[in-house]
Amino acid sequence: MSKHLVIVESPAKAKTIEKYLGKDFQVLASYGHVRDLVPKEGAVDPDHDFAMKYEVIERNQKHIQAISKALKTSDTLYLATDPDREGEAISWHLYELLKDKKLLKDKPVHRVVFHEITKKAVTEAIANPEQLAINLINAQQARRALDYLVGFNLSPLLWKKIRRGLSAGRVQSPALRMIVERELEIEVFKSREYWTVDAALTAQDQAFKAKLTHFDGEKLTQFSIDNATLAERTRQTLLAVADGRLTVAKLEKKQQKRNPAPPFITSTLQQEAARKLGFTTKRTMMVAQQLYEGIDIGGETEGLITYMRTDSVNLSVEAVEEIRALIAENYGIENVPKEPRLFKTKSKNAQEAHEAIRPTSARHLPVQIKNYLSAEQYKLYELIWKRTIACQMMHATLNRITVDLTCGDGKHVFRATGSTIAKPGFMSVYLEGKDDSNDGDDKESFLPAMEEGRPVPLNDIIAGQHFTEPPPRYGEASLVKSLEEHGIGRPSTYSTIISTLQNREYVTLDNKRFYPTDVGRIVNKFLTEHFTKYVDYDFTANLEDELDAVSRGEKDWIPLMHAFWNPFTSLIQQKEESVQRKDVTQEAIDETCPECGSPLSIRLGRNGRFIGCTHYPECSYTRNLNDDAGGADEADVVEGRACPLCASPLVLKTGRYGKFIGCSAYPKCRHIEPLEKPLDTGVECPQCKTGSILKRKSRTGKIFYSCSGYPKCDYALWNAPVKENCPACDWPILTVKTTKRHGAEKVCPQKDCKYATPYEGDPADADGPKESRE
């Protein structure tokens, strides 16, 4: 019989901790949340101070039974769920359930909190137990009640006014607004032409460029040269007066210091993993969870990073001392600052006891434990390790050089800038990535040695045409950054927000950029027009701040709930009566129907938005949204193609699963083909040996791979093929498969062969559905 029962959230963590605590302790997992609100109306009762009705989550019923059984033979209960708001709520729900079962009686109940799964951290937490933090529990209850009330009241309104199955959320709706507003900015953006003029020069056998900043004594702006004629005239003038050389008029050298970025918090880890590794926020958190809960690194299972849900950039004194010692040993004492670096936490709600995300031991060098990690685990761990080490290193010293070169009695000025790294400092370990750049890191340009008053040979004057570009669409990193800057949601919720928007089909992710769907646009339009306050960025951020104040014990959650609920429910009732479905799903346009003369409008149909007659059903005229008036039929014809079955023209059509090519003689001829041509992977089909494996898209948009000889050969795969024989069974191909437990692997597609090895490439390149071995 175990004297003490410890409850954690995951079985992986339970195994690790049980080894640390010994035979007197039994460690069981709750498998996440154990109770949730009853999924029906009335689960939150505003008339009785928002009393909540909970029920046990069905899939976790057996885990509750196992905990209950173990508790009967235990003397003490330790609630050791995660050290955050959700973890505190899980502990509270467990306590309430076990109390209702009358299993606690006089047994002591302790709350233990640790931020890393190491023997020292766990044993210290057990030796110094705490009580449940009621303020954190109240804050979590308030958040859950708010999300329930918004969802259960606003979502049915969307069903009535737009279509069934839609949802709105307290935080997801402002996030959707961001994506839609960015798309609208892009659509109305008017590109402008402008030209730059550069001098191509050579000095000390090194080629470099300088940009024209002043012409004929006038400073140039972006649009000073806005057409090819003016650009060429400027170029010819400069070539004539320069006569093959420019003169160095001014040379400035400045030394700059660049400090390292702070250690990771949840949001910055998500952003950097997206930029540098191509990870989604969901994938980042999943892999970080694995590193936190424990990895067997050669006979010893240990958590490799501290808790990954944190707003704090603090590092413990012990961690800093270890990091500084390692820097001195591996990178030289000159790279250790005199004093440890301290970083200021921006979040008002970050708790001092929490730490940034860091390795539990800096001595666990990535290269030393690489063989114990999956490819994904290694990449993320290395990123965290490098960022943590760099944050305690000396600043980098850069020599910044600016050179002005002139011709034509100094009336024409070119400028070249560059920098050299005098002392790399932290940059020898890590450099922070940037949004919307090709490689994420700064590209340093280098200039040759020059002297004031000396000529520099001119090779050519180059005029370049450019066009202004619209703001970029959001990727995962930039969306997380924007949500954080606006104070919307919290880092632990960003992954769920993004997943919800995609699952509801409000946005799609194409080439790592978010595009709003037609339904997403309509939902956003409805919410911004009729529930403006509740998708307002400042309102959402202020509500988050008030909930954080509840968690700090500065506010009572029930008055906060009343302040939100009373105006919200009134607005719901008002809009239910005053807004008609056509007001939401139809948008008037300045055009009349060519068949009956009635006004046309943009409407929302099963397959997206289209233009239709407002006199429907009497008039059934419709056309695609992007077709010109009266020219839809001509625009739909696929030029130069005829139906292979009946020789009729082929046309572009839109169906339930998007656009496709079909025969114009339908329904007499039913020939159809995909709009996108299948991509040849170059891998020979292992079944028929004559065809090749093509990358195709199913009707529902899923990627799969099949033989080009279909239907004669029906060989097909969900995972991307690799042109490599299986070392175990000699099958001609392997496939790239990603699983939760093992990350990305090359595996044999043969059922009887169990060969698998880590895949060193980017798993994001494998487009098939992700299978699970769990």
Side-chain angles (χ1 to χ4, degrees), residues 65-169:
Q65 291 171 357
I67 291 169
S68 301
K69 183 179 178 181
L71 186 58
K72 289 175 183 177
T73 57
S74 300
D75 297 332
T76 314
L77 175 65
Y78 289 92
L79 299 169
T81 50
D82 289 345
D84 57 12
R85 185 183 66 238
E86 294 299 316
E88 205 71 27
I90 293 169
S91 282
W92 176 76
H93 282 296
L94 269 169
Y95 175 81
E96 291 292 313
L97 272 174
L98 297 172
K99 186 175 71 173
D100 290 345
K101 289 174 175 282
K102 304 191 186 308
L103 292 172
L104 296 178
K105 298 180 182 176
D106 297 327
K107 293 180 181 180
V109 179
H110 302 299
R111 172 76 168 115
V112 292
V113 174
F114 41 81
H115 303 279
E116 58 187 74
I117 301 178
T118 59
K119 189 169 185 177
K120 180 184 176 184
V122 172
T123 53
E124 282 184 1
I126 293 289
N128 299 281
E130 303 171 5
Q131 298 298 313
L132 284 167
I134 193 63
N135 293 327
L136 276 180
I137 295 164
N138 286 341
Q140 197 277 340
Q141 290 245 87
R143 286 176 191 274
R144 186 67 191 92
L146 281 170
D147 292 340
Y148 168 88
L149 290 171
V150 170
F152 254 82
N153 288 276
L154 195 47
S155 297
L157 191 61
L158 293 178
W159 300 358
K160 293 176 185 176
K161 307 303 179 185
I162 304 176
R163 68 160 61 151
R164 291 192 64 81
L166 302 180
S167 75

Side-chain angles (χ1 to χ4, degrees), residues 463-764:
Q465 184 185 35
H466 309 276
F467 294 91
T468 55
E469 294 183 354
R473 291 178 178 88
Y474 286 110
E476 289 218 8
S478 54
L479 182 61
V480 166
K481 185 177 181 181
S482 189
L483 289 168
E484 185 180 34
E485 287 173 349
H486 282 89
I488 295 171
R490 286 296 175 260
S492 60
T493 65
Y494 294 151
S495 174
T496 305
I497 293 168
I498 291 169
S499 295
T500 301
L501 291 177
Q502 291 176 278
N503 293 339
R504 294 293 179 186
E505 298 183 352
Y506 291 166
V507 303
T508 57
L509 190 63
D510 185 14
N511 198 24
K512 298 185 179 180
R513 298 287 172 177
F514 287 112
Y515 292 76
T517 63
D518 287 343
V519 174
R521 287 171 181 264
I522 296 291
V523 169
N524 178 70
K525 183 172 180 283
F526 173 71
L527 294 174
T528 52
E529 286 183 3
H530 300 285
F531 291 86
T532 311
K533 173 182 175 181
Y534 299 98
V535 290
D536 178 75
Y537 302 139
D538 289 338
F539 174 82
T540 307
N542 290 336
L543 187 56
E544 290 286 357
D545 289 342
E546 288 183 314
L547 289 166
D548 286 345
V550 172
S551 70
R552 296 190 297 269
E554 297 166 8
K555 278 197 171 184
D556 187 355
W557 73 281
I558 293 175
L560 171 63
M561 293 294 300
H562 280 295
F564 176 90
W565 172 248
N566 294 336
F568 179 73
T569 187
S570 298
L571 187 60
I572 289 280
Q573 293 168 4
Q574 176 192 328
K575 295 300 179 181
E576 191 155 2
E577 296 171 3
S578 63
V579 178
Q580 296 182 33
R581 190 175 187 276
K582 66 178 183 180
D583 298 333
V584 181
T585 59
Q586 296 187 31
E587 182 182 335
I589 59 174
D590 189 20
E591 196 178 327
T592 56
C593 175
E595 294 182 6
C596 73
S598 300
L600 294 178
S601 66
I602 298 173
R603 313 178 77 171
L604 180 67
R606 247 187 349 176
N607 303 312
R609 296 194 302 165
F610 66 98
I611 292 175
C613 183
T614 55
H615 201 48
Y616 178 84
E618 285 79 8
C619 177
S620 59
Y621 174 81
T622 62
R623 73 167 191 264
N624 290 335
L625 186 61
N626 296 322
D627 290 337
D628 293 330
D633 292 338
E634 292 79 2
D636 280 346
V637 174
V638 180
E639 292 192 20
R641 294 284 313 280
C643 175
L645 300 182
C646 70
S648 299
L650 291 176
V651 292
L652 189 65
K653 297 187 172 187
T654 301
R656 183 179 177 186
Y657 299 102
K659 291 189 175 183
F660 65 96
I661 294 172
C663 182
S664 59
Y666 178 86
K668 290 181 180 178
C669 178
R670 295 180 176 270
H671 171 77
I672 62 170
E673 57 188 66
L675 185 61
E676 297 177 17
K677 288 187 177 180
L679 180 69
D680 194 336
T681 65
V683 178
E684 182 182 85
C685 175
Q687 184 166 288
C688 69
K689 307 285 188 186
T690 56
S692 61
I693 302 295
L694 303 181
K695 178 181 175 182
R696 303 178 188 265
K697 189 179 285 187
S698 72
R699 292 197 309 166
T700 55
K702 289 184 178 180
I703 300 295
F704 70 100
Y705 301 84
S706 66
C707 180
S708 59
Y710 180 83
K712 289 183 180 179
C713 178
D714 61 357
Y715 189 75
L717 302 157
W718 277 121
N719 301 307
V722 179
K723 198 172 184 178
E724 191 175 321
N725 282 33
C726 174
C729 71
D730 207 35
W731 187 248
I733 67 170
L734 296 175
T735 63
V736 177
K737 180 176 179 181
T738 302
T739 64
K740 277 187 178 181
R741 182 178 298 172
H742 302 284
E745 295 179 302
K746 283 190 292 189
V747 300
C748 182
Q750 294 292 84
K751 287 183 179 179
D752 297 332
C753 182
K754 304 299 181 183
Y755 176 78
T757 188
Y759 178 61
E760 297 300 330
D762 186 353

Side-chain angles (χ1 to χ4, degrees), residues 78-381:
Y78 289 92
L79 299 169
T81 50
D82 289 345
D84 57 12
R85 185 183 66 238
E86 294 299 316
E88 205 71 27
I90 293 169
S91 282
W92 176 76
H93 282 296
L94 269 169
Y95 175 81
E96 291 292 313
L97 272 174
L98 297 172
K99 186 175 71 173
D100 290 345
K101 289 174 175 282
K102 304 191 186 308
L103 292 172
L104 296 178
K105 298 180 182 176
D106 297 327
K107 293 180 181 180
V109 179
H110 302 299
R111 172 76 168 115
V112 292
V113 174
F114 41 81
H115 303 279
E116 58 187 74
I117 301 178
T118 59
K119 189 169 185 177
K120 180 184 176 184
V122 172
T123 53
E124 282 184 1
I126 293 289
N128 299 281
E130 303 171 5
Q131 298 298 313
L132 284 167
I134 193 63
N135 293 327
L136 276 180
I137 295 164
N138 286 341
Q140 197 277 340
Q141 290 245 87
R143 286 176 191 274
R144 186 67 191 92
L146 281 170
D147 292 340
Y148 168 88
L149 290 171
V150 170
F152 254 82
N153 288 276
L154 195 47
S155 297
L157 191 61
L158 293 178
W159 300 358
K160 293 176 185 176
K161 307 303 179 185
I162 304 176
R163 68 160 61 151
R164 291 192 64 81
L166 302 180
S167 75
R170 182 178 60 85
V171 180
Q172 82 181 46
S173 298
L176 173 62
R177 179 186 167 190
M178 278 185 184
I179 294 170
V180 173
E181 286 184 344
R182 178 59 58 87
E183 193 68 24
L184 294 174
E185 284 181 59
I186 293 169
E187 288 175 356
V188 301
F189 180 82
K190 295 281 192 292
S191 184
R192 283 187 66 180
E193 180 184 7
Y194 68 97
W195 289 70
T196 54
V197 178
D198 295 328
L201 303 145
T202 302
Q204 304 291 322
D205 294 325
Q206 182 181 334
F208 67 101
K209 286 185 179 181
K211 183 179 179 180
L212 182 66
T213 60
H214 294 73
F215 181 75
D216 207 16
E218 296 289 327
K219 185 176 181 180
L220 298 181
T221 65
Q222 183 179 11
F223 300 106
S224 293
I225 304 173
D226 60 1
N227 61 74
T229 303
L230 182 56
E232 183 58 25
R233 191 161 64 237
T234 303
R235 177 177 176 273
Q236 292 299 335
T237 300
L238 292 168
L239 284 170
V241 299
D243 194 24
R245 64 183 182 183
L246 299 180
T247 302
V248 178
K250 186 180 178 182
L251 192 150
E252 280 187 356
K253 291 182 180 179
K254 290 182 180 178
Q255 221 171 53
Q256 289 182 334
K257 292 181 180 179
R258 186 186 297 184
N259 289 320
F264 282 130
I265 60 175
T266 307
S267 59
T268 54
L269 176 63
Q270 291 172 347
Q271 291 169 54
E272 278 291 81
R275 296 182 192 116
K276 288 181 176 287
L277 308 180
F279 285 11
T280 63
T281 53
K282 186 175 181 180
R283 187 165 154 209
T284 298
M285 297 309 288
M286 179 190 75
V287 178
Q289 183 91 26
Q290 295 164 0
L291 294 172
Y292 166 69
E293 290 182 348
I295 304 288
D296 186 340
I297 51 173
E300 180 184 353
T301 301
E302 186 173 340
L304 295 180
I305 64 169
T306 53
Y307 192 54
M308 63 283 163
R309 292 186 178 90
T310 177
D311 286 336
S312 172
V313 290
N314 294 326
L315 294 174
S316 69
V317 173
E318 295 82 3
V320 171
E321 287 174 354
E322 184 185 44
I323 292 165
R324 286 167 62 85
L326 183 135
I327 294 168
E329 293 167 20
N330 290 21
Y331 302 99
I333 193 69
E334 68 277 6
N335 276 308
V336 183
K338 289 182 180 179
E339 299 293 331
R341 288 189 181 277
L342 300 176
F343 298 94
K344 189 175 181 181
T345 296
K346 294 179 182 178
S347 172
K348 291 179 282 186
N349 203 46
Q351 300 176 45
E352 294 304 310
H354 288 215
E355 283 193 75
I357 304 168
R358 63 165 176 84
T360 53
S361 173
R363 300 286 177 184
H364 287 147
L365 273 61
V367 69
Q368 292 177 351
I369 60 173
K370 183 176 182 178
N371 291 338
Y372 302 108
L373 306 177
S374 71
E376 289 179 315
Q377 289 169 347
Y378 174 74
K379 287 178 182 179
L380 194 65
Y381 179 75

